[in-house]
Amino acid sequence: MKLTLIGLGLAAVSLSSAQVFVNTFGSGDTYNTGSGATISGLGGVLASEEVQGFRFQVANSGSVGQMVIAMGHVTGTPQVTMRLYADNSNTLGSQVGSDYTTNVNSGSFGSGTEVITRDVSAAGWSVTSGQNYWLLAQSANDAWLAWNFSTDGNTYSRVVITNGGSPGYFDSPGMAVRLEAVPEPASMVALGAGLLALARRRRKA
């Protein structure tokens, strides 16, 4: 019985400890619920296209499987396109993998329901430990979104592209996001096997 529980515990640890590449959320996944970077389109109420992002250093190497992001919706189509770029001497480099487009929570900004979790494994975002990358957000043409600021207390290089012009760079708090790998299938199989073995032992007892 003890061996079964130990095996189950190890499988659970492996399953829950997904490899984290970057995490700018504060303690307990907190973030600034009342302020964020404006992400907007030319056809929206702001009549200005604002594409925004920031630079960060990744802690591990691997393929990004999951994105957790605090992104609020104000008006227009509740949709955002995320792009990952390599760093080129503190400026935007080449794009890594493909665009990732998803819906956000409609009417959510400031109401505390901004956090969304998405499987981004199909985007092909592969990163290398110790390297810098940029993550950028672009809204639908008619939309106004807000990427909630981080509360981790750090300062990051931020980029803003207004109406398709040249990128502008400045220092700023980061925006709330976590990029992580999805636990390997072997870990999930191990957890399932552990649960099955525990159930069998209980039936025999």
Side-chain angles (χ1 to χ4, degrees), residues 38-41 46 48-52 137-139 160-163:
T38 295
I39 315 295
S40 61
L46 300 182
S48 177
E49 182 187 55
E50 300 288 337
V51 178
Q52 297 214 45
Q138 181 175 10
S139 75
V160 179
I161 303 173
T162 301
N163 297 332

Side-chain angles (χ1 to χ4, degrees), residues 30-43:
T30 54
Y31 57 94
N32 190 327
T33 60
S35 184
T38 295
I39 315 295
S40 61
L42 269 173

Side-chain angles (χ1 to χ4, degrees), residues 91-181:
T91 64
L92 289 173
S94 57
Q95 185 172 340
V96 178
S98 303
D99 298 354
Y100 177 76
T101 302
T102 187
N103 292 333
V104 298
N105 301 315
S106 182
S108 62
F109 187 72
S111 64
T113 60
E114 293 92 330
V115 176
I116 58 174
T117 301
R118 296 290 185 268
D119 180 347
V120 297
S121 55
W125 294 351
S126 293
V127 296
T128 302
S129 176
Q131 297 296 308
N132 290 322
Y133 294 88
W134 298 81
L135 186 66
L136 271 66
Q138 181 175 10
S139 75
N141 183 59
D142 67 339
W144 174 8
L145 309 177
W147 190 350
N148 299 73
F149 287 125
S150 167
T151 54
D152 67 356
N154 295 324
T155 299
Y156 297 84
S157 292
R158 191 158 138 209
V159 61
V160 179
I161 303 173
T162 301
N163 297 332
S166 299
Y169 300 93
F170 59 98
D171 290 338
S172 164
M175 283 81 94
V177 68
R178 182 167 62 252
L179 299 179
E180 57 193 18

Side-chain angles (χ1 to χ4, degrees), residues 12 18 23 25 36 59-60 67 70 81 83 87 109 139 143 153 169:
N23 181 21
F25 281 93
N60 298 289
M67 176 182 69
T81 297
R83 298 182 179 94
D87 180 68
F109 187 72
S139 75
Y169 300 93

Side-chain angles (χ1 to χ4, degrees), residues 4 7-8 11 188-203:
T4 300
L8 180 60
M188 301 186 75
V189 170
L191 178 60
L195 289 170
L196 182 60
L198 181 60
R200 286 176 176 169
R201 291 293 292 257
R202 284 180 174 173
R203 281 200 299 267

